[in-house]
Amino acid sequence: MPTVNLFPSSTVSNNWPEQDGTGSAHTLLASASDSGIKTPDQNDSCIVDLDNSPAASAGTINSIQIKTLGYVFLTRSASFDIRIQLIDGGTGSVYYNEDVTIAFNGYTPTAADGTVRTTSDGSNAWTGAQLNSLRLGITTDPADPPGISRAQVTYAYVVVDYTAASSGY
């Protein structure tokens, strides 16, 4: 089954106080470089719009999953929970949120991926309209980074797994 990645396309809101790199939050999160957003604080939030999905009109949407890379900065050893959210861009309602752990790993970003989601509400399949209005939220609501350290997220996007529509041949 084919997959497509939906990358951040614009910044809706961002109060993470530090950036590592130049550009807006969505630009930093859409790049697999060492740039990103970081914070020493609890309750900071970043919400980005995502690319429209070519899978939205290409067949059946099987699942979606948030993918992130991050680490704990300015520490010798620690882990830290961030909350990742799938948000309806039209209503602001949260489809799903979950806490994932980022860890100190020698300043090497490590994966902190969300659960594969086959439905938008626990029973109904994702629709093309939902995909095309999807937003990604990253917050530090669950915890305060330890001591003087900072949570840093360097990459964030959504993977869509879909079955292509029959070509009729």
Side-chain angles (χ1 to χ4, degrees):
M1 289 178 237
T3 61
V4 62
N5 297 334
L6 306 182
F7 294 101
S9 59
S10 65
T11 303
V12 176
S13 63
N14 177 34
N15 69 346
W16 287 52
E18 300 175 34
Q19 293 186 170
D20 192 5
T22 57
S24 60
H26 73 274
T27 303
L28 297 171
L29 291 171
S31 169
S33 67
D34 288 336
S35 63
I37 57 174
K38 60 185 170 183
T39 182
D41 305 319
Q42 186 173 9
N43 299 318
D44 283 343
S45 174
C46 178
I47 300 173
V48 294
D49 281 322
L50 297 170
D51 294 331
N52 281 340
S53 173
S57 60
T60 304
I61 300 159
N62 301 316
S63 66
I64 67 175
Q65 181 184 26
I66 298 173
K67 299 277 195 172
T68 64
L69 290 175
Y71 58 90
V72 180
F73 184 75
L74 287 179
T75 190
R76 291 186 182 177
S77 65
S79 62
F80 176 73
D81 287 343
I82 59 172
R83 180 165 296 144
I84 52 177
Q85 303 172 310
L86 292 169
I87 303 167
D88 181 331
T91 67
S93 299
V94 176
Y95 291 117
Y96 291 103
N97 67 62
E98 66 183 294
D99 297 347
V100 296
T101 301
I102 58 175
F104 175 75
N105 188 25
Y107 299 108
T108 301
T110 57
D113 298 338
T115 303
V116 174
R117 304 290 183 174
T118 57
T119 64
S120 62
D121 61 3
S123 60
N124 294 302
W126 292 98
T127 67
Q130 289 171 321
L131 280 188
N132 284 339
S133 72
L134 202 58
R135 289 182 172 165
L136 171 61
I138 305 168
T139 73
T140 56
D141 289 344
D144 193 21
I148 64 166
S149 62
R150 282 143 172 70
Q152 179 156 347
V153 178
T154 60
Y155 200 31
Y157 60 99
V158 171
V159 176
V160 179
D161 178 287
Y162 66 99
T163 301
S166 174
S167 62
Y169 295 105

